[in-house]
Amino acid sequence: MQEKNEIIIYTTPDGKETFEVNLKKDTIWLSQKQMAGLFEKDVRTVNEHIGNIYKEKELVKTSTIRNFRIVQKEGNRQVERIRSCYNLDVIISVGYRVKSQRGTQFRIWATNPPASC
């Protein structure tokens, strides 16, 4: 039986950007690149924070990372790639560490999602 995979659209409070958020098994999953865009930080910064989260044993790696098959257009062709994504626990932990207004806004949204979700 195939697992249900939904996409939720998160729109920043200023309405300037939207992010596709994967919802699977009652949690949200984002890649490092998506987190970087969401928190308005460099991917290297997000990567460093994730590394520290695991190094400090704040979270367990095996239960917070999942590989997703992503189909994307590269030039004129469709390419399938495997991308590591991180669950809501990691996203919120990174959001606290990057100390950005966007991080605060997302944490509020994620912990009090609209009724339509």
Side-chain angles (χ1 to χ4, degrees), residues 44-107:
R44 292 173 294 191
T45 301
V46 170
N47 183 43
E48 180 181 342
H49 287 305
I50 291 171
N52 288 333
I53 288 165
Y54 294 134
K55 180 178 164 188
E56 295 165 12
K57 298 185 174 133
E58 180 180 335
L59 297 170
V60 177
K61 198 175 205 178
T62 55
S63 61
T64 57
I65 295 178
R66 182 153 185 190
N67 290 326
F68 286 92
R69 187 178 351 211
I70 307 293
V71 178
Q72 60 190 32
K73 191 167 185 158
E74 293 181 5
N76 292 327
R77 59 192 183 110
Q78 295 281 41
V79 178
E80 198 173 281
R81 303 234 185 260
I82 300 297
R83 180 175 297 154
S84 294
C85 291
Y86 302 84
N87 76 0
L88 183 58
D89 294 333
V90 175
I91 299 164
I92 288 175
S93 293
V94 170
Y96 277 110
R97 289 169 181 251
V98 297
K99 297 176 180 74
S100 75
Q101 182 179 9
R102 281 274 196 78
T104 302
Q105 292 167 342
F106 182 79
R107 288 193 315 266

Side-chain angles (χ1 to χ4, degrees), residues 8-12 14-21 37-38 102:
I8 297 173
I9 304 297
Y10 169 72
T11 303
T12 57
D14 60 12
K16 292 182 180 178
E17 292 193 58
T18 60
F19 296 88
E20 287 187 2
V21 178
L38 177 65
R102 281 274 196 78

